[in-house]
């Protein structure tokens, strides 16, 4: 069966800079959800595709398909560190909402 894919975009906060990559919060989310989802026969795949600021804003927010993948079921975008809201939220929402999976979009 196809996995449930969660892609996390954002700044260095999401990327886990100054921390071990596997301790970044996308992978903490994965560790906390994996058992629950496996109990109902759902495989979880987590992608941490976050970049450091200022590249976490435009044009990154416009390239959701390329960065997160066209098969993502949930795409979270943390934009609070070094990326003003007006610099990409609308582009992110418009770009992500056109993906064929119609992913759940989460702004952090």
């Amino acid at each position: 069966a196809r996995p449930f894919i969660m892609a996390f975009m954002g700044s260095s906060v999401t990327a886990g800079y100054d921390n071990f990559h596997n301790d970044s919060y996308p992978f903490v989310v994965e560790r906390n959800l994996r058992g629950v989802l496996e109990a109902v026969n759902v495989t979880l795949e987590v992608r941490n595709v976050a970049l450091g600021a200022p590249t976490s804003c435009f044009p990154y927010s416009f390239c959701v398909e390329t960065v997160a993948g066209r098969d993502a079921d949930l795409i979270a975008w943390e934009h609070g560190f070094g990326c003003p809201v007006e610099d990409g939220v609308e582009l992110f929402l418009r770009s992500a909402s056109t993906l064929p999976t119609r992913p759940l979009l989460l702004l952090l």
Side-chain angles (χ1 to χ4, degrees), residues 7-51:
F8 290 83
M9 299 174 65
S11 72
S12 58
V13 172
T14 301
Y17 290 9
D18 298 326
N19 203 354
F20 293 110
H21 183 69
N22 64 335
D23 284 335
S24 61
Y25 85 82
F27 297 122
V28 172
V29 169
E30 178 182 33
R31 284 193 297 276
N32 284 295
L33 289 180
R34 183 173 299 282
V36 174
L37 293 175
E38 285 177 352
V40 293
N41 295 319
V42 175
T43 304
L44 177 62
E45 179 182 324
V46 170
R47 299 173 182 161
N48 185 349
V49 293
L51 302 169

Side-chain angles (χ1 to χ4, degrees), residues 11 13 53-57 78-84 87:
S11 72
V13 172
T55 54
S56 60
C57 303
E78 168 269 316
H79 58 86
F81 186 74
C83 185
D87 283 354

Side-chain angles (χ1 to χ4, degrees), residues 58-59 61-64 77 87-96:
F58 181 79
S61 58
F62 191 68
C63 305
V64 176
W77 186 37
D87 283 354
V89 173
E90 183 178 354
L91 285 175
F92 166 76
L93 294 171
R94 288 179 182 268
S95 180

